[in-house]
Amino acid sequence: MGAKKSKDKGGEAKPGKVKGKKKGKVLSVLVAGAAQSGKSTFFKQLQLIHFDNTFTDEQRSEVMKTLRSNLIMGFKELVEAADGMKKVKFSSASKESVEFFRQKNPFDAFDDSTSDNATQLWGDKGFKKVWAARDTIPKFSIMHLEYLVEHIERISTDDEEPTTEDVLLARKRTTGTNEIEFEFKGKDFRFVDVGGQRSERRHWDQIIDKPDAVVFFASLIDWNLPTVGNAEITKLQESASIWEEVIQMEVFSASFFILMLNKVDLFKEKILRIPLKDTFTNYEGDAEDPDAAADFIRDYFLARFPEGHAESVQTHVTCALDTAQIKVVFGAMQTAMLERLMSNFGML
């Protein structure tokens, strides 16, 4: 499929519309959600799926830089979190490595000393205790740190080509908007990914005028983590509140909503370590059943949707890293959006 390049708000080239094709109705979709919910990973999946992995050399080089920054950030966040853990003690051999990451800027050069200190800390018994407690650390953001350590030699090499998994795992904060347009089964789609930080969320209703659909991402693994600045509210509860605000915005009143409860892969592991009932005392399902727990969280979000409008929302429990699953989910999204469009024009 031939594609032209379109610019996002930050100036980065992105695959765009098919050349020479008469433009009909373009289905516009806003991709929103709180920070670290996986929406940007989903956005990258769209590019991988619909443009045959056509990332530019500059984008691929940026992936490797981002992975290196992610590794430094992950160790730094865990080292800082260890300060509040009384039972954690690092070995004398690791103390220099602890201080190294305490002082290290994630955007500093990634050299042999970075690799050596990361390897030293990863094998430390005290650090293993911090890693085991990652589910309870609110500011820990690099959940793929183990992957980065396993591939540390490869990602530290300047001329190494990133794999598809590298592309999907590279975590970089979305600022402004990213946009992609493509044709799928004869229909034109325009997806716009918006930043999830508080400062970015104020402008969501100004990005697209009356989008056909809003895809809202929420992280399943955030049920026990307090928000930064308010220990009384968990990140999941905050995400549900944001969801409620979005569905009540006038500009989205005619939009179809797709709720994506994401990170089910990590959720299945975490539910075995930390009971959902510790946060939601009204949860009565099996403590170790991820399906029952995910259904509870789904109902928790859907309870905020207006009564009598069930036909306006679709839900999916997803792993945004799973390309095969995202293909299936996108197909379901497309069918629902087209049916909604046809219904609005009296064709159903």
Side-chain angles (χ1 to χ4, degrees):
M1 177 172 61
K4 73 178 183 179
K5 298 290 183 179
S6 60
K7 294 286 186 178
D8 69 351
K9 296 294 184 179
E12 183 180 0
K14 298 287 185 181
K17 283 285 298 147
V18 179
K19 285 183 177 180
K21 182 178 181 294
K22 185 178 180 180
K23 193 170 184 179
K25 166 67 177 175
V26 178
L27 294 172
S28 59
V29 184
L30 184 74
V31 183
Q36 301 178 35
S37 58
K39 57 188 180 58
S40 294
T41 303
F42 170 76
F43 197 80
K44 286 187 283 187
Q45 285 280 23
L46 293 179
Q47 187 168 345
L48 288 167
I49 292 169
H50 296 288
F51 293 94
D52 300 321
N53 202 6
T54 54
F55 287 90
T56 65
D57 291 341
E58 182 181 355
Q59 286 174 312
R60 289 185 171 278
S61 176
E62 189 64 26
V63 166
M64 302 309 283
K65 292 178 182 177
T66 300
L67 290 175
R68 295 168 197 153
S69 177
N70 287 171
L71 185 141
I72 296 171
M73 177 64 77
F75 275 97
K76 185 178 184 68
E77 289 174 342
L78 292 177
V79 163
E80 291 175 349
D83 292 339
M85 299 179 183
K86 295 180 180 180
K87 295 183 178 181
V88 171
K89 291 185 178 181
F90 297 106
S91 67
S92 56
S94 296
K95 288 184 177 179
E96 286 188 8
S97 298
V98 171
E99 192 58 29
F100 175 87
F101 282 108
R102 196 187 302 279
Q103 301 298 327
K104 185 78 169 175
N105 186 306
F107 301 102
D108 285 348
F110 195 101
D111 49 23
D112 289 343
S113 63
T114 307
S115 297
D116 292 343
N117 282 292
T119 302
Q120 171 62 39
L121 261 188
W122 191 253
D124 187 273
K125 289 183 179 180
F127 188 83
K128 287 182 183 296
K129 289 182 179 180
V130 183
W131 173 248
R134 62 191 180 280
D135 292 330
T136 64
I137 302 173
K139 292 185 178 181
F140 182 58
S141 60
I142 313 299
M143 287 295 178
H144 57 292
L145 183 62
E146 186 171 12
Y147 172 90
L148 297 177
V149 174
E150 289 175 358
H151 296 271
I152 192 168
E153 183 175 348
R154 182 174 60 80
I155 68 172
S156 62
T157 304
D158 288 334
D159 57 355
E160 190 71 27
E161 278 287 309
T163 65
T164 297
E165 193 169 10
D166 290 340
V167 171
L168 293 174
L169 286 172
R171 183 183 178 277
K172 190 174 183 180
R173 174 181 169 180
T174 301
T175 56
T177 62
N178 292 315
E179 183 175 328
I180 186 172
E181 290 191 34
F182 55 87
E183 179 190 348
F184 183 69
K185 293 185 178 180
K187 297 296 180 182
D188 294 318
F189 288 84
R190 175 192 175 210
F191 278 75
V192 180
D193 174 30
V194 293
Q197 302 292 333
R198 286 187 177 90
S199 58
E200 303 278 350
R201 296 199 296 260
R202 294 197 301 267
H203 309 294
W204 283 356
D205 60 344
Q206 303 169 25
I207 303 299
I208 304 179
D209 183 33
K210 299 179 180 179
D212 294 286
V214 175
V215 180
F216 186 91
F217 273 80
S219 172
L220 282 168
I221 63 173
D222 287 346
W223 77 82
N224 68 311
L225 298 175
T227 57
V228 177
N230 189 348
E232 300 299 317
I233 300 175
T234 69
K235 290 184 177 181
L236 185 70
Q237 291 168 332
E238 180 185 48
S239 184
S241 295
I242 298 169
W243 159 256
E244 187 170 14
E245 290 176 14
V246 169
I247 61 181
Q248 291 178 354
M249 289 181 179
E250 180 63 28
V251 71
F252 303 143
S253 61
S255 301
F256 183 74
F257 286 87
I258 298 106
L259 174 63
M260 305 282 271
L261 299 175
N262 194 41
K263 302 189 180 181
V264 67
D265 53 329
L266 300 176
F267 179 73
K268 289 178 177 179
E269 298 174 1
K270 183 171 178 175
I271 201 71
L272 301 177
R273 298 189 292 261
I274 299 180
L276 185 63
K277 196 174 181 66
D278 285 357
T279 300
F280 294 99
T281 56
N282 59 330
Y283 175 64
E284 298 179 351
D286 187 331
E288 297 185 351
D289 183 349
D291 293 332
D295 286 347
F296 176 87
I297 293 175
R298 177 202 62 201
D299 293 343
Y300 178 73
F301 275 79
L302 292 183
R304 288 160 170 73
F305 211 77
E307 291 186 16
H309 290 77
E311 75 283 354
S312 298
V313 62
Q314 184 181 86
T315 62
H316 297 279
V317 176
T318 62
C319 170
L321 297 170
D322 186 338
T323 303
Q325 185 195 44
I326 294 302
K327 285 182 179 179
V328 173
V329 168
F330 179 76
M333 288 167 52
Q334 184 220 30
T335 299
M337 288 167 60
L338 291 177
E339 287 180 352
R340 174 67 177 255
L341 181 65
M342 293 172 69
S343 177
N344 288 346
F345 283 93
M347 298 173 66
L348 282 181

